[in-house]
Amino acid sequence: PFVHGNLFLILEIEFPDALTPEVQHKLQEILPPPLNAPKIKETDAGVEVHTVTDLDPVQSYNANKVHMSGGGEAYDDDDDKEGAGPGRGGQGGVQ
């Protein structure tokens, strides 16, 4: 009875697919109030509502390939050219 240690519980919780409004109301009566109740509403001034959408990354990539063939200007820099400066693969500053 005085042995101390870690107790690990493995629980399998099955959630229902849907709840009727009556069941939702009963659960709200039984359970304690939410810890993080929202302080603002969607209709308040300055609030922007955004929707999160699940995307398949491969499908998204394939659908946007045509927009990504700009030539890679964002990745071009002077580091791979001769005379780029000391320590950069060029001859600049080396004597």
Side-chain angles (χ1 to χ4, degrees), residues 49-55:
V49 179
H50 297 270
T51 305
V52 177
T53 306
D54 289 329
L55 293 175

Side-chain angles (χ1 to χ4, degrees), residues 31-69:
L31 297 172
L35 296 175
N36 298 319
K39 297 176 184 169
I40 58 173
K41 298 176 187 169
E42 290 182 5
T43 56
D44 289 347
V47 173
E48 294 182 15
V49 179
H50 297 270
T51 305
V52 177
T53 306
D54 289 329
L55 293 175
D56 177 10
V58 174
Q59 182 181 6
S60 175
Y61 173 79
N62 289 333
N64 290 301
K65 268 186 191 177
V66 90
H67 303 292
M68 292 186 272
S69 62

Side-chain angles (χ1 to χ4, degrees), residues 3-22:
V3 176
H4 297 279
N6 296 325
L7 174 64
F8 296 97
L9 299 176
I10 298 174
L11 304 173
E12 291 186 21
I13 301 172
E14 293 183 21
F15 291 98
D17 293 328
L19 295 174
T20 63
E22 295 83 23

